[in-house]
Amino acid sequence: MAVKGAAAGAGVLLVTANVGSLFDDPENLQKNWLREFYQVVHAHKPHFMALHCQEFGGKNYEASMSHVDKFVKELLSSDAMKDYNRARVYLDENYKSQEHFTALGSFYFLHESLKNIYQFDFKAKKYKKVTGKEIYSDTLESTPMLEKEKFPQDYFPECKWSRKGFIRTRWCITDCAFDLVNIHLFHDASNLIAWETSPSVYSGIRHKALGYVLDRIIDQRFEKVSYFVFGDFNFRLDAKAVVETLCAKATMQTIRAADTNEVVKLIFRESDNDRKVMLQLEKKLFDYFNQDVFRDNNGTALLEFDRELSVFKDRLYELDISFPPSYPYSEDSSQGRQYMNTRCPAWCDRILMSHSAKELILKSENDEKIVIYDHIGPNVCMGDHKPVFLSFRIAAGAGKPIANVHKCCVVQ
């Protein structure tokens, strides 16, 4: 695969993918998923590529171990990736540890034409030149080339065993250093509870967790660098506002449990038109009669309800979204565009960055449209999440030079 020389800078491809579905139905989904992923790699021909996976191994990691090994081997040895002669793979396979397991998998691939790339050793506080291909798994806590944390249980007490957390690595390419953070934030446990308040209680939990991560990666322990945070943020549309808009002319019927009087279902019917049911809402049901509203013009009419990131506007930047909600797609391998009726479709999977990282990528843009933010596999079943990618170039010397990278502190 021909890649333009890195002298004029380096092409970078960042991808986030919640891949849980791939391990629950590997026979039907993995082949399509990999084909679509390789097509994006071929189209953008990056020098440096990062793939951040969440729910790696699926719901039952122990049962999926053989599928995990096969997937990793395929990525590292496939013909499509043959020009990437250096790689680092970090898999959290410590599934027996309730205290530490995050089910995150981070893959980094370096093209053979890319010279002098370094990775930061957080323990030694030194950069190391990257050579060869290495896989780290099981207990990542002892690996000095990353920082990994699982969010404390009290962040989300409703979930007895959450697998949410983050993994951080630091890289130096063309004398430009940046952090890459793989993140998985908390989901909405109940559509009914999410609908009760605006913003929802779950939005507040995600806000707390993301704030913790951002504070952690800019604390005083290490030199501050630009950063990219990408993963499954589980950001949801403001449920109350969305329902009020979608069902503006509807009347609501409340169904309660006979024994507890707890609300178990809401039914929204058109006021006329034979009282046609527009929306049924349950704990894990969001059944709206017209899915086209989520797909038409890539769902942009609903972006006004995508509000969770606004709290962090001073700390995080995101390119304009021009793709439809990334979740929850049907897991039926014959359905590439259909959403499941379990949740309101939302842009869960995102690539965010610090404002200095924004300057880094926009500084490198010239007349060509070389910064692209999009999703993968629009017409193919990729599981319940569509992967999302960001492609850009870092111009040589675009970032602040990092002291001592090429001097005595480099551990060869």
Side-chain angles (χ1 to χ4, degrees):
M1 179 168 61
V3 173
K4 293 173 188 172
V12 177
L13 179 66
L14 308 180
V15 182
T16 179
N18 183 315
V19 292
S21 300
L22 301 194
F23 299 97
D24 296 331
D25 184 13
E27 299 304 319
N28 288 311
L29 296 182
Q30 279 193 20
K31 191 174 178 182
N32 286 346
W33 192 99
L34 286 164
R35 184 187 68 242
E36 295 294 318
F37 173 74
Y38 293 148
Q39 283 178 1
V40 169
V41 174
H42 183 73
H44 295 275
K45 299 179 173 56
H47 298 97
F48 177 86
M49 176 169 37
L51 168 62
H52 283 178
C53 296
Q54 306 81 42
E55 294 294 340
F56 198 78
K59 295 182 182 70
N60 188 343
Y61 204 104
E62 194 165 10
S64 301
M65 288 296 278
S66 62
H67 301 306
V68 166
D69 292 343
K70 186 177 176 184
F71 185 84
V72 173
K73 187 176 180 182
E74 161 65 30
L75 273 175
L76 289 176
S77 62
S78 73
D79 192 56
M81 305 290 284
K82 69 179 186 301
D83 293 334
Y84 294 87
N85 62 347
R86 290 152 294 168
R88 291 294 180 270
V89 179
Y90 302 103
L91 305 177
D92 187 358
E93 294 185 332
N94 192 16
Y95 56 86
K96 291 179 180 174
S97 171
Q98 189 166 334
E99 186 183 351
H100 297 295
F101 185 51
T102 62
L104 294 173
S106 297
F107 297 76
Y108 304 98
F109 301 94
L110 287 60
H111 194 269
E112 60 189 9
S113 65
L114 187 62
K115 310 301 181 192
N116 297 326
I117 179 164
Y118 301 87
Q119 188 182 0
F120 192 64
D121 181 321
F122 288 95
K123 191 172 180 182
K125 295 190 178 183
K126 296 177 180 180
Y127 284 86
K128 293 183 176 179
K129 192 166 185 176
V130 181
T131 59
K133 296 181 180 181
E134 297 175 1
I135 301 172
Y136 298 85
S137 61
D138 198 20
T139 51
L140 295 182
E141 285 75 23
S142 60
T143 306
M145 307 308 289
L146 58 81
E147 287 198 316
K148 176 198 147 202
E149 284 190 53
K150 180 179 172 179
F151 297 119
Q153 179 69 43
D154 61 10
Y155 272 39
F156 197 39
E158 278 186 60
C159 196
K160 288 187 179 66
W161 191 4
S162 161
R163 302 193 291 190
K164 307 299 192 289
F166 71 94
I167 290 177
R168 167 200 195 184
T169 56
R170 177 171 290 190
W171 304 83
C172 184
I173 304 172
T174 64
D175 293 336
C176 177
F178 51 83
D179 282 350
L180 301 179
V181 181
N182 186 354
I183 193 169
H184 195 184
L185 297 183
F186 302 98
H187 60 283
D188 281 13
S190 166
N191 292 325
L192 292 168
I193 292 174
W195 171 82
E196 286 174 357
T197 58
S198 173
S200 78
V201 62
Y202 304 118
S203 169
I205 294 168
R206 289 187 284 271
H207 175 193
K208 180 180 178 183
L210 180 53
Y212 174 83
V213 174
L214 296 181
D215 289 344
R216 185 76 173 144
I217 61 177
I218 62 163
D219 63 19
Q220 300 301 313
R221 296 169 302 141
F222 307 104
E223 183 176 3
K224 288 187 176 66
V225 299
S226 300
Y227 55 84
F228 297 86
V229 185
F230 50 115
D232 179 2
F233 292 84
N234 262 314
F235 289 160
R236 306 301 169 100
L237 304 187
D238 187 313
K240 195 166 188 65
V242 169
V243 170
E244 285 173 356
T245 301
L246 294 179
C247 304
K249 298 180 179 178
T251 55
M252 185 180 81
Q253 177 187 358
T254 303
I255 313 291
R256 296 179 181 273
D259 52 347
T260 63
N261 205 36
E262 180 186 1
V263 175
V264 293
K265 187 170 190 172
L266 300 174
I267 302 174
F268 296 83
R269 299 177 187 272
E270 288 192 15
S271 302
D272 43 27
N273 195 21
D274 297 327
R275 296 195 39 80
K276 173 183 168 185
V277 173
M278 299 180 71
L279 172 68
Q280 296 183 77
L281 200 64
E282 296 177 13
K283 180 178 180 180
K284 294 186 177 179
L285 178 74
F286 188 98
D287 190 3
Y288 188 64
F289 78 103
N290 178 20
Q291 278 204 3
D292 288 342
V293 70
F294 304 112
R295 288 189 292 257
D296 288 350
N297 196 26
N298 291 323
T300 48
L302 296 168
L303 276 170
E304 66 172 294
F305 305 112
D306 178 70
R307 299 169 178 169
E308 293 195 33
L309 191 55
S310 61
V311 181
F312 295 97
K313 65 179 183 297
D314 293 336
R315 306 177 73 179
L316 289 170
Y317 172 79
E318 181 179 30
L319 289 159
D320 290 339
I321 291 175
S322 59
F323 49 88
S326 62
Y327 170 86
Y329 280 91
S330 169
E331 295 172 297
D332 180 339
S333 57
S334 66
Q335 298 286 342
R337 289 168 49 82
Q338 186 77 13
Y339 287 106
M340 287 192 283
N341 62 3
T342 52
R343 308 284 184 187
C344 177
W347 288 273
C348 292
D349 307 274
R350 318 277 277 258
I351 299 176
L352 312 179
M353 66 195 79
S354 63
H355 287 280
S356 59
K358 166 194 165 186
E359 297 304 318
L360 194 68
I361 68 172
L362 297 182
K363 190 188 293 184
S364 304
E365 191 168 27
N366 52 28
D367 295 337
E368 305 172 67
K369 187 176 186 300
I370 55 171
V371 180
I372 300 172
Y373 187 34
D374 206 349
H375 65 327
I376 300 177
N379 301 309
V380 175
C381 180
M382 304 289 281
D384 57 350
H385 290 256
K386 296 281 190 200
V388 169
F389 75 89
L390 175 65
S391 175
F392 61 94
R393 288 184 74 80
I394 294 179
K400 181 181 75 170
I402 298 300
N404 301 324
V405 169
H406 301 299
K407 296 179 185 172
C408 58
C409 86
V410 177
V411 182
Q412 296 297 341

